[in-house]
Coordinates of all heavy atoms in Angstrom, one line a residue:
M1 N -7.2 -9.8 6.4 CA -7.9 -9.2 5.4 C -9.3 -8.7 6.0 O -9.9 -9.5 6.6 CB -8.2 -10.2 4.3 CG -8.7 -9.6 3.0 SD -7.6 -8.4 2.2 CE -6.1 -9.3 2.1
G2 N -9.6 -7.4 5.8 CA -10.8 -6.9 6.4 C -12.1 -7.2 5.5 O -12.0 -7.9 4.5
N3 N -13.2 -6.7 5.9 CA -14.4 -6.9 5.2 C -14.6 -5.8 4.1 O -14.0 -4.7 4.2 CB -15.6 -6.7 6.2 CG -15.6 -7.8 7.2 OD1 -15.5 -9.0 6.9 ND2 -15.8 -7.4 8.5
D4 N -15.3 -6.2 3.1 CA -15.6 -5.3 2.0 C -14.4 -4.7 1.3 O -14.3 -3.6 0.9 CB -16.5 -4.1 2.5 CG -17.8 -4.6 3.0 OD1 -18.5 -5.5 2.4 OD2 -18.3 -4.0 4.1
V5 N -13.4 -5.6 1.1 CA -12.2 -5.3 0.5 C -12.3 -5.7 -1.0 O -12.7 -6.8 -1.3 CB -10.9 -6.0 1.1 CG1 -9.7 -5.8 0.3 CG2 -10.8 -5.5 2.5
T6 N -11.9 -4.8 -1.9 CA -11.8 -5.1 -3.3 C -10.4 -5.3 -3.8 O -9.6 -4.4 -3.6 CB -12.5 -4.0 -4.2 OG1 -13.9 -3.8 -3.8 CG2 -12.4 -4.3 -5.7
I7 N -10.1 -6.4 -4.4 CA -8.8 -6.7 -4.9 C -8.9 -7.1 -6.3 O -9.5 -8.1 -6.7 CB -8.1 -7.8 -4.1 CG1 -8.0 -7.5 -2.6 CG2 -6.7 -8.1 -4.7 CD1 -7.5 -8.6 -1.7
K8 N -8.3 -6.2 -7.2 CA -8.4 -6.5 -8.6 C -7.4 -7.5 -9.1 O -6.5 -7.9 -8.3 CB -8.3 -5.1 -9.4 CG -9.5 -4.2 -9.1 CD -10.8 -4.8 -9.6 CE -11.9 -3.8 -9.5 NZ -13.1 -4.3 -10.0
C9 N -7.4 -7.8 -10.4 CA -6.6 -8.8 -10.9 C -5.1 -8.5 -10.9 O -4.7 -7.3 -10.9 CB -7.0 -9.2 -12.4 SG -6.8 -7.8 -13.5
G10 N -4.2 -9.5 -10.8 CA -2.8 -9.3 -10.8 C -2.2 -8.8 -9.5 O -1.0 -8.5 -9.5
V11 N -2.9 -8.8 -8.4 CA -2.4 -8.4 -7.1 C -1.9 -9.6 -6.4 O -2.7 -10.6 -6.3 CB -3.4 -7.6 -6.3 CG1 -2.9 -7.2 -4.9 CG2 -3.9 -6.3 -7.1
Q12 N -0.7 -9.6 -5.8 CA -0.3 -10.6 -5.0 C -0.1 -10.1 -3.5 O 0.5 -9.1 -3.3 CB 1.1 -11.2 -5.5 CG 0.9 -11.7 -6.9 CD 2.2 -12.0 -7.5 OE1 3.3 -11.6 -7.1 NE2 2.2 -12.8 -8.6
L13 N -0.6 -10.9 -2.6 CA -0.6 -10.5 -1.2 C 0.4 -11.4 -0.4 O 0.2 -12.6 -0.4 CB -2.1 -10.7 -0.6 CG -3.2 -10.0 -1.4 CD1 -4.5 -10.3 -0.8 CD2 -2.9 -8.5 -1.4
W14 N 1.4 -10.8 0.1 CA 2.5 -11.5 0.8 C 2.3 -11.5 2.3 O 1.6 -10.7 2.8 CB 3.8 -10.8 0.4 CG 4.0 -10.7 -1.1 CD1 4.0 -9.6 -1.8 CD2 4.3 -11.8 -2.0 NE1 4.2 -9.9 -3.2 CE2 4.4 -11.3 -3.3 CE3 4.5 -13.2 -1.8 CZ2 4.7 -12.1 -4.4 CZ3 4.8 -14.0 -2.9 CH2 4.9 -13.4 -4.2
D15 N 3.1 -12.4 2.9 CA 3.1 -12.4 4.4 C 3.5 -11.0 4.9 O 4.3 -10.3 4.3 CB 4.2 -13.4 4.9 CG 3.8 -14.8 4.6 OD1 2.6 -15.1 4.5 OD2 4.7 -15.7 4.6
G16 N 2.9 -10.6 6.0 CA 3.2 -9.3 6.6 C 2.3 -8.2 6.2 O 2.4 -7.1 6.6
L17 N 1.3 -8.5 5.3 CA 0.4 -7.4 4.8 C -0.9 -7.5 5.6 O -1.5 -8.6 5.7 CB 0.1 -7.6 3.3 CG -0.9 -6.7 2.7 CD1 -0.4 -5.2 2.8 CD2 -1.2 -7.1 1.3
R18 N -1.3 -6.4 6.1 CA -2.6 -6.3 6.9 C -3.5 -5.3 6.2 O -3.0 -4.1 5.9 CB -2.4 -5.9 8.3 CG -3.6 -5.9 9.1 CD -3.3 -5.7 10.6 NE -4.4 -5.0 11.2 CZ -4.3 -4.2 12.2 NH1 -3.2 -4.0 12.8 NH2 -5.4 -3.6 12.7
V19 N -4.7 -5.7 5.8 CA -5.6 -4.8 5.0 C -6.9 -4.7 5.9 O -7.5 -5.7 6.2 CB -5.9 -5.4 3.6 CG1 -6.9 -4.5 2.9 CG2 -4.6 -5.5 2.8
E20 N -7.2 -3.5 6.2 CA -8.4 -3.2 7.0 C -9.7 -3.1 6.1 O -9.6 -3.3 4.9 CB -8.3 -2.0 7.9 CG -7.2 -2.1 8.9 CD -7.0 -0.9 9.8 OE1 -7.6 0.2 9.5 OE2 -6.3 -1.0 10.8
D21 N -10.8 -2.9 6.7 CA -12.1 -2.9 6.1 C -12.2 -1.8 5.0 O -11.6 -0.7 5.1 CB -13.3 -2.6 7.1 CG -13.4 -3.7 8.1 OD1 -12.9 -4.8 7.9 OD2 -14.1 -3.5 9.1
G22 N -12.9 -2.1 3.9 CA -13.3 -1.1 2.9 C -12.2 -0.6 2.0 O -12.3 0.4 1.4
V23 N -11.1 -1.4 1.9 CA -9.9 -1.0 1.1 C -10.2 -1.4 -0.4 O -10.7 -2.5 -0.6 CB -8.6 -1.6 1.6 CG1 -7.5 -1.5 0.7 CG2 -8.3 -1.0 3.0
F24 N -9.7 -0.6 -1.3 CA -9.7 -0.9 -2.7 C -8.2 -1.0 -3.2 O -7.4 -0.1 -2.9 CB -10.3 0.2 -3.5 CG -10.2 0.0 -5.0 CD1 -11.2 -0.8 -5.7 CD2 -9.2 0.5 -5.7 CE1 -11.0 -1.0 -7.1 CE2 -9.0 0.3 -7.1 CZ -10.0 -0.4 -7.8
I25 N -7.9 -2.2 -3.8 CA -6.5 -2.4 -4.4 C -6.7 -2.6 -5.9 O -7.3 -3.6 -6.3 CB -5.8 -3.6 -3.7 CG1 -5.8 -3.3 -2.2 CG2 -4.5 -3.8 -4.3 CD1 -5.3 -4.5 -1.4
G26 N -6.2 -1.7 -6.7 CA -6.3 -1.7 -8.1 C -5.5 -2.8 -8.8 O -4.6 -3.4 -8.2
P27 N -5.7 -3.0 -10.1 CA -5.0 -4.0 -10.8 C -3.5 -3.9 -10.8 O -3.0 -2.8 -10.9 CB -5.5 -3.9 -12.3 CG -6.7 -3.0 -12.2 CD -6.6 -2.2 -10.9
N28 N -2.9 -5.0 -10.6 CA -1.4 -5.1 -10.6 C -0.7 -4.3 -9.6 O 0.5 -4.0 -9.8 CB -0.9 -4.8 -12.0 CG -1.4 -5.8 -13.0 OD1 -1.3 -7.0 -12.8 ND2 -2.1 -5.3 -14.1
A29 N -1.4 -3.8 -8.5 CA -0.7 -3.1 -7.5 C 0.3 -4.1 -6.9 O 0.0 -5.3 -6.8 CB -1.7 -2.6 -6.4
T30 N 1.5 -3.6 -6.4 CA 2.5 -4.5 -6.0 C 2.9 -4.2 -4.5 O 3.2 -3.0 -4.2 CB 3.8 -4.3 -6.8 OG1 3.4 -4.7 -8.2 CG2 4.9 -5.2 -6.4
F31 N 2.9 -5.2 -3.7 CA 3.3 -5.0 -2.3 C 4.6 -5.8 -2.1 O 4.8 -6.9 -2.7 CB 2.3 -5.6 -1.3 CG 1.0 -4.9 -1.3 CD1 -0.1 -5.3 -2.1 CD2 0.8 -3.8 -0.5 CE1 -1.3 -4.6 -2.1 CE2 -0.4 -3.1 -0.4 CZ -1.4 -3.5 -1.3
T32 N 5.5 -5.3 -1.3 CA 6.8 -6.0 -1.1 C 6.9 -6.2 0.4 O 6.3 -5.4 1.2 CB 8.0 -5.2 -1.6 OG1 8.0 -3.9 -1.0 CG2 7.9 -5.0 -3.1
N33 N 7.7 -7.2 0.8 CA 7.8 -7.4 2.3 C 9.3 -7.6 2.7 O 9.6 -8.0 3.8 CB 7.0 -8.6 2.8 CG 7.3 -9.9 2.1 OD1 8.3 -10.0 1.4 ND2 6.6 -10.9 2.5
D34 N 10.2 -7.5 1.7 CA 11.6 -7.6 2.0 C 12.4 -6.4 1.6 O 12.4 -6.1 0.4 CB 12.2 -8.9 1.2 CG 13.6 -9.2 1.5 OD1 14.3 -8.4 2.3 OD2 14.1 -10.2 1.1
G35 N 12.9 -5.6 2.5 CA 13.5 -4.4 2.2 C 14.9 -4.5 1.6 O 15.4 -3.5 1.1
F36 N 15.5 -5.7 1.6 CA 16.8 -5.8 1.0 C 16.9 -7.2 0.4 O 17.6 -8.1 0.9 CB 17.9 -5.7 2.1 CG 19.3 -5.5 1.6 CD1 19.7 -4.3 1.0 CD2 20.2 -6.5 1.7 CE1 21.0 -4.2 0.5 CE2 21.5 -6.4 1.3 CZ 21.9 -5.2 0.6
P37 N 16.2 -7.4 -0.7 CA 16.1 -8.8 -1.3 C 17.4 -9.2 -2.0 O 18.1 -8.4 -2.6 CB 15.0 -8.6 -2.4 CG 15.0 -7.2 -2.7 CD 15.4 -6.4 -1.5
R38 N 17.8 -10.4 -1.8 CA 19.0 -11.0 -2.4 C 18.7 -12.4 -2.9 O 18.0 -13.1 -2.3 CB 20.2 -11.1 -1.4 CG 20.6 -9.7 -0.8 CD 20.8 -8.7 -1.9 NE 22.2 -8.3 -1.8 CZ 22.7 -7.5 -2.7 NH1 22.0 -7.1 -3.8 NH2 23.9 -7.1 -2.7
S39 N 19.3 -12.8 -4.0 CA 19.0 -14.1 -4.6 C 19.6 -15.2 -3.7 O 20.6 -15.0 -3.1 CB 19.8 -14.2 -5.9 OG 19.6 -15.4 -6.5
K40 N 18.8 -16.2 -3.6 CA 19.2 -17.4 -2.8 C 19.3 -17.2 -1.3 O 19.9 -18.0 -0.6 CB 20.5 -18.0 -3.3 CG 20.5 -18.2 -4.8 CD 20.2 -19.7 -5.2 CE 20.4 -19.8 -6.7 NZ 19.6 -20.8 -7.3
Q41 N 18.8 -16.1 -0.8 CA 18.8 -15.9 0.7 C 17.3 -15.9 1.1 O 16.6 -15.0 0.9 CB 19.4 -14.6 1.0 CG 20.9 -14.6 0.8 CD 21.5 -13.3 1.3 OE1 20.9 -12.5 2.0 NE2 22.8 -13.1 0.9
H42 N 17.0 -17.1 1.7 CA 15.6 -17.3 2.0 C 15.2 -16.7 3.4 O 14.0 -16.5 3.6 CB 15.3 -18.8 2.0 CG 15.6 -19.4 0.7 ND1 14.8 -19.2 -0.4 CD2 16.6 -20.2 0.2 CE1 15.3 -19.8 -1.5 NE2 16.4 -20.4 -1.1
A43 N 16.1 -16.5 4.3 CA 15.8 -15.9 5.5 C 15.9 -14.4 5.4 O 17.0 -13.9 4.9 CB 16.7 -16.4 6.6
F44 N 14.9 -13.6 5.8 CA 15.0 -12.2 5.7 C 14.1 -11.6 6.8 O 13.2 -12.3 7.4 CB 14.5 -11.6 4.4 CG 13.1 -11.9 4.0 CD1 12.1 -11.0 4.2 CD2 12.8 -13.1 3.3 CE1 10.8 -11.2 3.9 CE2 11.5 -13.4 3.0 CZ 10.5 -12.4 3.3
E45 N 14.2 -10.3 7.1 CA 13.4 -9.7 8.1 C 12.1 -9.3 7.5 O 12.0 -8.5 6.5 CB 14.1 -8.4 8.6 CG 13.3 -7.6 9.6 CD 13.9 -6.3 10.0 OE1 15.1 -6.0 9.6 OE2 13.2 -5.5 10.7
L46 N 11.0 -9.9 7.9 CA 9.7 -9.7 7.4 C 9.2 -8.3 7.9 O 9.1 -8.1 9.0 CB 8.7 -10.8 7.9 CG 7.3 -10.7 7.4 CD1 7.2 -10.8 5.9 CD2 6.4 -11.7 8.1
K47 N 8.9 -7.4 6.9 CA 8.4 -6.1 7.2 C 6.9 -6.1 7.2 O 6.3 -6.6 6.2 CB 9.0 -5.1 6.2 CG 10.5 -5.0 6.2 CD 11.0 -4.0 7.1 CE 12.5 -3.9 6.9 NZ 13.0 -2.6 7.5
Q48 N 6.3 -5.5 8.2 CA 4.8 -5.5 8.2 C 4.3 -4.2 7.5 O 4.8 -3.1 7.7 CB 4.3 -5.4 9.7 CG 4.8 -6.6 10.5 CD 4.0 -7.8 10.1 OE1 2.8 -7.8 9.9 NE2 4.7 -8.9 10.0
T49 N 3.3 -4.4 6.6 CA 2.7 -3.3 5.9 C 1.2 -3.2 6.3 O 0.6 -4.3 6.4 CB 2.8 -3.5 4.4 OG1 4.2 -3.5 4.0 CG2 2.1 -2.4 3.6
L50 N 0.7 -2.0 6.6 CA -0.7 -1.8 7.0 C -1.4 -0.9 6.0 O -0.9 0.2 5.7 CB -0.7 -1.3 8.4 CG -2.1 -0.8 8.9 CD1 -3.1 -2.0 9.0 CD2 -1.9 -0.2 10.3
V51 N -2.5 -1.4 5.5 CA -3.4 -0.5 4.7 C -4.6 -0.3 5.5 O -5.4 -1.2 5.8 CB -3.7 -1.2 3.3 CG1 -4.6 -0.2 2.5 CG2 -2.5 -1.5 2.6
K52 N -4.8 1.0 6.0 CA -5.9 1.3 6.9 C -7.3 1.4 6.2 O -7.3 1.5 5.0 CB -5.6 2.6 7.7 CG -4.5 2.4 8.7 CD -4.4 3.7 9.5 CE -3.4 3.5 10.6 NZ -3.3 4.8 11.4
A53 N -8.3 1.4 7.0 CA -9.7 1.4 6.5 C -10.0 2.4 5.5 O -9.6 3.6 5.6 CB -10.7 1.5 7.7
G54 N -10.7 2.0 4.4 CA -11.1 3.0 3.4 C -10.1 3.5 2.4 O -10.4 4.3 1.5
A55 N -8.8 3.0 2.5 CA -7.8 3.5 1.6 C -8.0 2.9 0.2 O -8.6 1.9 0.0 CB -6.4 3.1 2.1
S56 N -7.5 3.6 -0.8 CA -7.6 3.2 -2.2 C -6.2 3.2 -2.8 O -5.5 4.2 -2.7 CB -8.5 4.0 -3.0 OG -9.8 3.9 -2.6
I57 N -5.8 2.1 -3.5 CA -4.5 2.0 -4.1 C -4.7 1.8 -5.6 O -5.4 0.9 -6.0 CB -3.7 0.9 -3.5 CG1 -3.5 1.1 -2.0 CG2 -2.3 0.7 -4.2 CD1 -2.8 0.0 -1.3
G58 N -4.2 2.7 -6.4 CA -4.4 2.7 -7.8 C -3.6 1.6 -8.5 O -2.7 1.0 -8.0
A59 N -4.0 1.4 -9.8 CA -3.4 0.3 -10.6 C -1.9 0.6 -10.8 O -1.4 1.7 -10.9 CB -4.0 0.4 -12.0
N60 N -1.1 -0.5 -10.7 CA 0.3 -0.5 -10.9 C 1.1 0.2 -9.8 O 2.3 0.5 -10.0 CB 0.7 -0.1 -12.3 CG 0.2 -1.0 -13.3 OD1 0.5 -2.2 -13.3 ND2 -0.6 -0.5 -14.3
A61 N 0.5 0.6 -8.7 CA 1.2 1.3 -7.6 C 2.1 0.2 -7.0 O 1.8 -1.0 -6.9 CB 0.3 1.9 -6.6
T62 N 3.3 0.7 -6.5 CA 4.2 -0.2 -5.7 C 4.3 0.4 -4.3 O 4.6 1.5 -4.1 CB 5.6 -0.2 -6.4 OG1 5.4 -0.7 -7.7 CG2 6.5 -1.1 -5.6
I63 N 4.1 -0.5 -3.3 CA 4.2 -0.2 -1.9 C 5.4 -0.9 -1.3 O 5.4 -2.1 -1.3 CB 2.9 -0.6 -1.2 CG1 1.6 -0.2 -1.9 CG2 2.9 -0.1 0.3 CD1 1.4 1.3 -2.1
L64 N 6.4 -0.1 -0.9 CA 7.6 -0.7 -0.3 C 7.2 -1.3 1.1 O 6.2 -0.9 1.7 CB 8.7 0.3 -0.2 CG 9.2 0.8 -1.6 CD1 10.4 1.6 -1.4 CD2 9.5 -0.4 -2.5
P65 N 8.1 -2.2 1.6 CA 7.7 -2.9 2.9 C 7.8 -2.0 4.1 O 8.5 -1.0 4.2 CB 8.8 -4.0 3.0 CG 9.9 -3.5 2.2 CD 9.4 -2.6 1.1
G66 N 7.0 -2.4 5.1 CA 7.0 -1.8 6.4 C 6.3 -0.4 6.5 O 6.5 0.3 7.5
L67 N 5.5 -0.1 5.5 CA 4.8 1.2 5.5 C 3.4 1.1 6.0 O 2.8 0.0 6.0 CB 4.9 1.8 4.1 CG 6.2 2.0 3.5 CD1 6.1 2.6 2.1 CD2 7.1 2.9 4.4
T68 N 2.8 2.3 6.3 CA 1.4 2.4 6.6 C 0.7 3.3 5.6 O 1.2 4.4 5.4 CB 1.2 2.9 8.0 OG1 1.7 2.0 9.0 CG2 -0.3 3.1 8.3
I69 N -0.4 2.8 5.0 CA -1.2 3.7 4.1 C -2.4 4.1 5.0 O -3.1 3.2 5.5 CB -1.7 2.9 2.9 CG1 -0.5 2.2 2.1 CG2 -2.5 3.8 2.0 CD1 0.5 3.2 1.6
G70 N -2.5 5.4 5.2 CA -3.5 5.9 6.2 C -4.9 5.6 5.8 O -5.3 5.4 4.6
A71 N -5.8 5.8 6.7 CA -7.3 5.6 6.5 C -7.7 6.6 5.5 O -7.3 7.8 5.5 CB -8.0 5.9 7.8
R72 N -8.6 6.2 4.5 CA -9.1 7.0 3.4 C -8.1 7.6 2.5 O -8.5 8.4 1.6 CB -10.0 8.1 4.0 CG -11.2 7.6 4.8 CD -12.0 8.7 5.5 NE -11.3 10.0 5.6 CZ -10.5 10.3 6.6 NH1 -10.2 9.5 7.5 NH2 -9.9 11.5 6.6
A73 N -6.8 7.2 2.6 CA -5.8 7.8 1.7 C -6.0 7.2 0.3 O -6.6 6.2 0.1 CB -4.4 7.4 2.3
M74 N -5.5 8.0 -0.7 CA -5.5 7.5 -2.0 C -4.1 7.5 -2.6 O -3.4 8.5 -2.6 CB -6.4 8.4 -2.9 CG -7.9 8.4 -2.4 SD -9.0 9.3 -3.5 CE -9.1 8.1 -4.8
V75 N -3.7 6.4 -3.2 CA -2.4 6.2 -3.8 C -2.7 6.2 -5.3 O -3.5 5.3 -5.8 CB -1.7 4.9 -3.4 CG1 -0.4 4.7 -4.2 CG2 -1.5 5.0 -1.9
G76 N -2.1 7.1 -6.1 CA -2.4 7.3 -7.5 C -1.8 6.1 -8.3 O -0.8 5.4 -7.8
A77 N -2.4 5.8 -9.5 CA -1.9 4.8 -10.3 C -0.4 5.0 -10.7 O 0.0 6.1 -11.0 CB -2.7 4.8 -11.6
G78 N 0.3 3.9 -10.5 CA 1.8 4.0 -10.9 C 2.7 4.6 -9.8 O 3.9 4.6 -10.0
A79 N 2.1 5.0 -8.7 CA 2.9 5.6 -7.7 C 3.9 4.6 -7.0 O 3.5 3.4 -7.0 CB 2.0 6.3 -6.6
V80 N 5.0 5.1 -6.6 CA 6.0 4.2 -5.8 C 6.0 4.8 -4.4 O 6.6 5.9 -4.2 CB 7.3 4.2 -6.5 CG1 8.3 3.4 -5.7 CG2 7.3 3.7 -7.9
V81 N 5.4 4.1 -3.5 CA 5.3 4.6 -2.1 C 6.5 4.2 -1.3 O 6.7 3.0 -1.1 CB 4.0 4.1 -1.5 CG1 3.8 4.7 -0.1 CG2 2.8 4.5 -2.3
T82 N 7.3 5.2 -0.9 CA 8.5 4.9 -0.2 C 8.5 5.3 1.3 O 9.5 5.1 2.0 CB 9.7 5.6 -0.9 OG1 9.4 7.0 -0.8 CG2 9.9 5.1 -2.3
R83 N 7.4 5.9 1.7 CA 7.2 6.4 3.1 C 5.7 6.3 3.5 O 4.9 6.2 2.6 CB 7.8 7.7 3.3 CG 7.1 8.8 2.5 CD 7.8 10.2 2.7 NE 9.0 10.2 2.0 CZ 9.8 11.2 1.9 NH1 9.5 12.3 2.5 NH2 11.0 11.1 1.3
D84 N 5.5 6.4 4.8 CA 4.1 6.3 5.2 C 3.2 7.4 4.6 O 3.7 8.5 4.3 CB 4.0 6.5 6.8 CG 4.6 5.3 7.5 OD1 4.8 4.2 6.9 OD2 4.9 5.5 8.7
V85 N 2.0 7.0 4.3 CA 1.0 8.0 3.8 C 0.0 8.3 4.9 O -0.6 7.5 5.5 CB 0.2 7.3 2.6 CG1 -0.9 8.2 2.1 CG2 1.2 6.9 1.5
P86 N -0.1 9.6 5.2 CA -1.0 10.1 6.3 C -2.5 9.8 5.9 O -2.9 9.7 4.8 CB -0.8 11.6 6.3 CG 0.5 11.9 5.6 CD 0.6 10.8 4.6
D87 N -3.3 9.7 7.0 CA -4.7 9.6 6.8 C -5.3 10.6 5.9 O -4.9 11.8 6.0 CB -5.5 9.7 8.2 CG -5.2 8.5 9.1 OD1 -4.6 7.5 8.7 OD2 -5.6 8.7 10.3
G88 N -6.1 10.3 4.9 CA -6.8 11.2 4.0 C -5.9 11.9 3.0 O -6.4 12.7 2.2
A89 N -4.6 11.5 2.9 CA -3.7 12.1 1.9 C -3.9 11.5 0.5 O -4.3 10.3 0.4 CB -2.3 12.0 2.4
I90 N -3.7 12.3 -0.5 CA -3.6 11.8 -1.9 C -2.1 11.9 -2.3 O -1.5 12.9 -2.2 CB -4.4 12.7 -2.8 CG1 -5.9 12.6 -2.4 CG2 -4.3 12.2 -4.3 CD1 -6.8 13.7 -3.1
V91 N -1.6 10.7 -2.7 CA -0.2 10.7 -3.1 C 0.0 10.2 -4.5 O -0.8 9.4 -5.0 CB 0.7 9.8 -2.2 CG1 0.7 10.4 -0.8 CG2 0.3 8.4 -2.2
M92 N 0.9 10.8 -5.3 CA 1.2 10.4 -6.7 C 2.7 10.5 -6.9 O 3.4 11.2 -6.2 CB 0.5 11.4 -7.6 CG -1.0 11.4 -7.5 SD -1.6 12.5 -8.8 CE -3.1 12.9 -8.0
G93 N 3.1 9.8 -8.0 CA 4.5 10.0 -8.5 C 5.5 9.0 -8.0 O 5.2 8.0 -7.3
N94 N 6.7 9.2 -8.4 CA 7.9 8.3 -8.1 C 9.1 9.2 -7.7 O 9.7 9.7 -8.5 CB 8.2 7.4 -9.2 CG 9.4 6.5 -8.9 OD1 9.9 6.4 -7.8 ND2 9.8 5.7 -9.9
P95 N 9.3 9.2 -6.4 CA 8.6 8.6 -5.2 C 7.3 9.4 -5.0 O 7.2 10.5 -5.4 CB 9.5 8.8 -4.1 CG 10.4 10.0 -4.4 CD 10.5 10.0 -5.9
A96 N 6.3 8.7 -4.4 CA 5.0 9.3 -4.1 C 5.2 10.4 -3.2 O 5.9 10.4 -2.2 CB 4.1 8.2 -3.5
R97 N 4.5 11.5 -3.5 CA 4.4 12.7 -2.7 C 3.0 13.1 -2.5 O 2.1 12.9 -3.4 CB 5.2 13.9 -3.4 CG 6.6 13.6 -3.7 CD 7.5 14.0 -2.5 NE 8.9 13.9 -2.9 CZ 9.8 13.2 -2.3 NH1 9.4 12.5 -1.2 NH2 11.0 13.2 -2.7
V98 N 2.7 13.8 -1.3 CA 1.4 14.2 -1.1 C 1.0 15.4 -2.0 O 1.8 16.4 -2.1 CB 1.2 14.7 0.4 CG1 -0.1 15.3 0.7 CG2 1.5 13.5 1.4
T99 N -0.1 15.2 -2.8 CA -0.5 16.2 -3.7 C -1.8 16.9 -3.3 O -2.3 17.8 -3.9 CB -0.7 15.7 -5.1 OG1 -1.6 14.6 -5.1 CG2 0.7 15.1 -5.6
G100 N -2.4 16.4 -2.3 CA -3.7 16.9 -1.8 C -4.3 16.0 -0.7 O -3.6 15.1 -0.2
H101 N -5.5 16.3 -0.3 CA -6.2 15.6 0.8 C -7.6 15.3 0.3 O -8.2 16.1 -0.4 CB -6.2 16.3 2.1 CG -4.8 16.4 2.7 ND1 -3.9 17.4 2.3 CD2 -4.1 15.6 3.5 CE1 -2.7 17.2 2.9 NE2 -2.9 16.1 3.7
V102 N -8.1 14.1 0.7 CA -9.4 13.7 0.4 C -10.4 14.7 1.0 O -10.3 15.1 2.2 CB -9.7 12.3 0.9 CG1 -11.2 11.9 0.7 CG2 -8.8 11.3 0.3
D103 N -11.4 15.2 0.2 CA -12.4 16.1 0.7 C -13.3 15.4 1.7 O -14.1 14.5 1.3 CB -13.2 16.6 -0.5 CG -14.3 17.6 -0.1 OD1 -14.4 17.9 1.1 OD2 -15.0 18.0 -1.0
D104 N -13.2 15.7 3.0 CA -14.0 15.0 4.0 C -15.5 15.1 3.8 O -16.2 14.2 4.1 CB -13.7 15.6 5.4 CG -12.3 15.2 5.8 OD1 -11.7 14.2 5.3 OD2 -11.7 15.9 6.7
E105 N -16.0 16.2 3.2 CA -17.5 16.3 3.0 C -17.9 15.2 1.9 O -19.0 14.6 2.1 CB -17.8 17.7 2.5 CG -17.7 18.7 3.5 CD -18.0 20.1 3.0 OE1 -18.7 20.2 2.0 OE2 -17.5 21.1 3.6
R106 N -17.1 15.0 0.9 CA -17.5 14.0 -0.2 C -17.3 12.6 0.3 O -18.0 11.7 -0.2 CB -16.7 14.3 -1.4 CG -17.1 15.5 -2.1 CD -16.3 15.7 -3.4 NE -16.5 14.6 -4.2 CZ -15.6 14.3 -5.2 NH1 -14.6 15.1 -5.5 NH2 -15.8 13.2 -5.9
S107 N -16.4 12.4 1.2 CA -16.1 11.0 1.6 C -16.9 10.5 2.8 O -16.8 9.4 3.2 CB -14.6 10.8 2.0 OG -14.3 11.6 3.1
A108 N -17.7 11.4 3.4 CA -18.6 11.1 4.6 C -19.7 10.2 4.2 O -20.2 10.2 3.1 CB -19.0 12.3 5.3

């Protein structure tokens, strides 16, 4: 867990999650770390998820295992992230798709 990270209520942080500095994680955002969950099977391949510096994850977003959320990227509320998010990208929807990019002048 990095410095200056904001984690709102209802967020659970599982093994395999790495969060860099200045990240915002909104209420009830969901992280997963098992790509093929099955009942009563306790051994599984732990997938590493990385949230890079300055990224923001909206309320109720779901992040599938083994992905990278890029630096300064924004994940919209309720998005289901099924693939890596590039640095500075804005993603929304189910599955999450790039809908724009963060304005570098405003984020500096």
Side-chain angles (χ1 to χ4, degrees):
M1 194 61 54
N3 294 314
D4 299 318
V5 173
T6 299
I7 301 171
K8 294 298 187 175
C9 61
V11 176
Q12 297 171 345
L13 307 175
W14 303 109
D15 290 340
L17 177 62
R18 184 172 148 208
V19 178
E20 294 183 348
D21 296 343
V23 168
F24 173 87
I25 303 172
N28 299 305
T30 300
F31 294 92
T32 60
N33 64 1
D34 184 353
F36 195 71
R38 300 310 240 172
S39 179
K40 309 262 187 209
Q41 291 186 11
H42 302 287
F44 64 92
E45 178 186 351
L46 180 66
K47 302 268 185 161
Q48 299 290 317
T49 299
L50 171 62
V51 183
K52 290 187 174 181
S56 292
I57 299 173
N60 295 307
T62 299
I63 313 299
L64 295 187
L67 301 180
T68 297
I69 308 299
R72 300 174 340 278
M74 297 189 76
V75 176
V80 178
V81 181
T82 61
R83 61 182 73 177
D84 290 343
V85 176
D87 290 349
I90 299 169
V91 299
M92 297 182 205
N94 179 5
R97 301 274 189 233
V98 175
T99 60
H101 291 84
V102 175
D103 180 3
D104 289 336
E105 290 179 24
R106 289 183 54 201
S107 62

